[in-house]
Amino acid sequence: MAHPLAGKPAPPELLIDVDRLTAAYYDKQPDPENPEQLVAFGTSGHRGSPEDGSFNELHIRAVTQAICEYRAKAGITGPLFLGKDTHAASSPAERTALEVLAGNGVQVLMQDRFTPTPAISHAILTHNRGKTARLADGIVVTPSHNPPRDGGFKYNPPHGGPADTDVTDVVQARANDLIKAKGNGIKRLSFEAARSAPTTKKHDFLAAYVADLPQVVDLDAIQSTRLSLGADPLGGASVDYWERIADDYELDLTVVNPKTDPTFSFMSVDHDGKIRMDCSSPYAMAKLLELRSSYQVAFGNDPDADRHGVVTPSAGLLNPNHYLAVAIQYLLTHRKNWKKTAKIGKTLVSSVLIDRVAKDLSRELCEVPVGFKWFVPGLSDGSFCFGGEESAGASFLRMDGSVWTTDKDGIILNLLAAEITAVTGKDPGQHYAELTERLGVPHYTRIDAPATPAEKARLKKLSPDAVTAVELAGEPIVAKLTQAPGNGAGIGGLKVTTENGWFAARPSGTENVYKIYAESFLGAEHLARLVEEAKSLVSKALAG
């Protein structure tokens, strides 16, 4: 059930005290004996809050030093692209990172303003194209769509995408050793010395990214049809980008909220009563939804612009799963230079509607565990034409079938919605209605269920044999998976499928709950039954 404030303007009492949060970043020291105050890399880097002692100056000094040591050992000698989003903790963390990078003699390329995640990935790949030496990598200071009190720090190696555990495990272990040593072993300069160091240089991420956009999206079609477009950066790093895109390509595009404010006071409250810049949430996107009839297509991004949210007059805010299916259907019928053998990548908790679209188009589907890192090799070499996940993150190839980004790019997914409308005369909501008329209507949900740390650990290591049931919600079980069918990698949980439904259960990395994802093609009642039986089935498996 949604919080009473969900979808309403954020009241003053929900706004963070920026000065207090910044002071906590510098003053609070993490307790090395408290696991919750150590560095922990998840699927999108290290995240925490200065006021909780989990994202403070020592964390960032330690992580950056660990990255410097990793890149030196790996022979990464090119520039490091450094960017940040608009969260309150991002600017101080960027300063700290620069101090340590300069202290280690690393060449840093950065911009004075905010830089989206896809612009960093694009810069890394552009620099590294055709090179085998002096390769570049990058750091993005962002907690993505997380609340204003949070901070985040993620590392992208030379492949341009999120670092995998072969990198993050090394960085995490070394960073925590440095924290336990109270920072001994960290090299750093003062901020003034780091900023004026010969290794610190300015780089125009904005100009390079925007100039390259016609290689991946048909901006001529959007411009020639004079579509009326609305963009809401949700106070994030894409604000300058949307203004530049509108100007450079002469689009009828209005940035409906050009403000940046680290308290995110202009946001409407999310489902749980928190301020969260989640462009896939109808509550967080309430203000743009009010304008749905004012634009032929409107869209939003989260603060680092790696997620997309598409709003149409016909359907309102599209569920990310629904839009991914529409995007794949359109791209595979309009990108004539893409290889027919290129696969569609999806995470195993994304909609089966994508499977049905792939089968309808006779294209190979590759289902991988949760995390965009699994798409990096395929997008890099063009063997994947598209990689998408249910949480509104995706990227796809350039027009010529070569790599665009290997990290999520919410900007091109939003522009694609405009291209689809311009080229076909129908918005993505109308395309979704046509798709479901042919392929069935999915009913999808994600919920949390309580679990102890011990139960979470068991769920992560569960064997398919632990599930003894032969039916789920009235249908025979056809598969019990603990490994992703696309690459055989462990999914860190369980997925059970029937002909017309499925559920997946995965432990949360931060809370004492496990997440249940479920989908039914037989209606809302069947979905509810599926979820209840999923809870029971998982409980029995954990007890056994």
Side-chain angles (χ1 to χ4, degrees):
M1 183 177 292
H3 191 277
L5 288 175
K8 297 178 181 177
E13 58 268 23
L14 282 186
L15 304 185
I16 61 167
D17 182 327
V18 175
D19 291 340
R20 189 176 71 189
L21 185 138
T22 304
Y25 172 81
Y26 287 108
D27 298 340
K28 201 170 183 69
Q29 296 298 310
D31 176 4
E33 301 303 317
N34 183 349
E36 294 184 0
Q37 294 188 8
L38 290 175
V39 172
F41 273 81
T43 54
S44 295
H46 170 68
R47 293 184 185 175
S49 174
E51 294 175 303
D52 295 341
S54 52
F55 191 89
N56 306 91
E57 185 183 28
L58 183 54
H59 291 105
I60 304 310
R61 287 171 56 200
V63 172
T64 308
Q65 180 65 38
I67 288 171
C68 290
E69 294 174 10
Y70 165 78
R71 72 193 305 273
K73 192 170 183 180
I76 302 167
T77 57
L80 183 141
F81 294 100
L82 177 63
K84 66 180 176 190
D85 77 356
T86 54
H87 277 77
S90 294
S91 284
E94 183 191 51
R95 288 170 64 106
T96 303
L98 179 61
E99 292 168 0
V100 176
L101 291 165
N104 283 270
V106 174
Q107 183 184 359
V108 177
L109 300 184
M110 61 190 298
Q111 196 156 18
D112 290 337
R113 284 277 286 177
F114 312 111
T115 306
T117 286
I120 296 283
S121 180
H122 176 268
I124 294 168
L125 294 171
T126 299
H127 179 277
N128 292 343
R129 189 172 294 126
K131 290 186 176 71
T132 56
R134 283 200 49 77
L135 298 179
D137 52 1
I139 289 172
V140 195
V141 187
T142 174
S144 187
H145 62 294
N146 275 25
R149 71 189 301 271
D150 288 358
F153 200 83
K154 59 185 183 181
Y155 174 63
N156 287 30
H159 59 51
D164 204 345
T165 51
D166 62 328
V167 177
T168 57
D169 285 353
V170 173
V171 170
Q172 176 179 305
R174 176 58 176 153
N176 285 328
D177 284 344
L178 289 166
I179 288 173
K180 290 170 184 175
K182 300 189 185 305
N184 289 327
I186 297 175
K187 303 173 186 176
R188 69 189 292 213
L189 301 180
S190 69
F191 178 64
E192 291 72 22
R195 190 170 52 178
S196 59
T199 51
T200 302
K201 301 181 184 301
K202 288 187 177 181
H203 180 78
D204 196 342
F205 293 99
L206 172 60
Y209 177 90
V210 172
D212 221 10
L213 281 170
Q215 305 302 316
V216 69
V217 180
D218 189 349
L219 289 162
D220 285 342
I222 301 170
Q223 192 276 333
S224 64
T225 51
R226 302 305 300 164
L227 285 180
S228 174
L229 305 174
D232 189 346
L234 299 184
S238 65
V239 59
D240 296 342
Y241 285 66
W242 286 118
E243 291 177 351
R244 183 71 167 267
I245 291 165
D247 290 344
D248 285 8
Y249 298 104
E250 300 178 350
L251 304 184
D252 182 9
L253 186 154
T254 302
V255 180
V256 301
N257 172 30
K259 299 175 185 174
T260 57
D261 164 16
T263 70
F264 294 89
S265 58
F266 40 72
M267 287 297 300
S268 50
V269 178
D270 204 5
H271 67 96
D272 56 357
K274 294 181 180 180
I275 296 175
R276 186 181 288 106
M277 292 64 69
D278 182 356
C279 52
S280 67
S281 164
Y283 303 107
M285 291 277 277
K287 291 181 181 177
L288 191 59
L289 277 165
E290 290 174 5
L291 302 173
R292 62 189 278 189
S293 60
S294 302
Y295 303 102
Q296 288 165 283
V297 185
F299 29 74
N301 292 111
D302 65 334
D304 71 316
D306 70 345
R307 297 184 181 214
H308 59 270
V310 175
V311 174
T312 68
S314 67
L317 178 65
L318 270 77
N319 177 291
N321 274 304
H322 301 171
Y323 179 55
L324 291 182
V326 169
I328 292 165
Q329 166 76 27
Y330 173 83
L331 287 167
L332 293 184
T333 52
H334 288 79
R335 294 295 188 264
K336 304 303 181 185
N337 292 324
W338 285 5
K339 292 184 294 188
K340 300 293 185 187
T341 55
K343 300 174 186 176
I344 302 162
K346 63 163 271 197
T347 54
L348 58 84
V349 294
S350 300
S351 176
V352 168
L353 183 61
I354 295 170
D355 304 51
R356 296 185 178 189
V357 167
K359 184 177 180 182
D360 190 52
L361 295 171
S362 301
R363 299 296 290 255
E364 187 176 350
L365 183 82
C366 186
E367 189 171 325
V368 300
V370 172
F372 204 79
K373 66 182 183 180
W374 300 107
F375 302 128
V376 171
L379 289 170
S380 296
D381 64 15
S383 60
F384 278 34
C385 58
F386 186 98
E389 51 187 12
E390 85 298 335
S391 56
S395 190
F396 52 89
L397 299 179
R398 293 170 182 254
M399 299 278 191
D400 65 4
S402 64
V403 63
W404 169 253
T405 60
T406 45
D407 213 327
K408 298 173 284 193
D409 190 336
I411 294 173
I412 64 164
L413 266 295
N414 286 339
L415 285 172
L416 181 67
E419 179 191 328
I420 291 169
T421 308
V423 171
T424 68
K426 300 173 185 173
D427 70 43
Q430 293 168 306
H431 281 279
Y432 174 72
E434 291 181 359
L435 265 186
T436 54
E437 194 172 324
R438 288 192 300 112
L439 303 177
V441 178
H443 295 261
Y444 183 97
T445 191
R446 197 198 89 178
I447 63 165
D448 293 341
T452 65
E455 288 172 332
K456 285 168 45 179
R458 283 201 295 275
L459 177 56
K460 205 167 185 179
K461 298 176 182 177
L462 208 61
S463 161
D465 296 336
V467 178
T468 57
V470 295
E471 278 196 356
L472 176 67
E475 290 194 303
I477 291 172
V478 297
K480 296 177 287 186
L481 305 172
T482 55
Q483 293 178 312
N487 61 2
I491 65 178
L494 171 72
K495 182 175 181 179
V496 177
T497 65
T498 67
E499 183 180 353
N500 292 293
W502 62 270
F503 83 85
R506 298 177 63 249
S508 167
T510 56
E511 301 172 270
N512 285 328
V513 298
Y514 67 88
K515 300 176 187 298
I516 291 181
Y517 307 79
E519 183 175 49
S520 169
F521 279 80
L522 297 179
E525 289 185 12
H526 183 255
L527 177 65
R529 180 180 172 191
L530 201 155
V531 167
E532 287 308 308
E533 291 191 20
K535 288 181 189 175
S536 173
L537 193 149
V538 171
S539 294
K540 287 178 182 175
L542 292 178

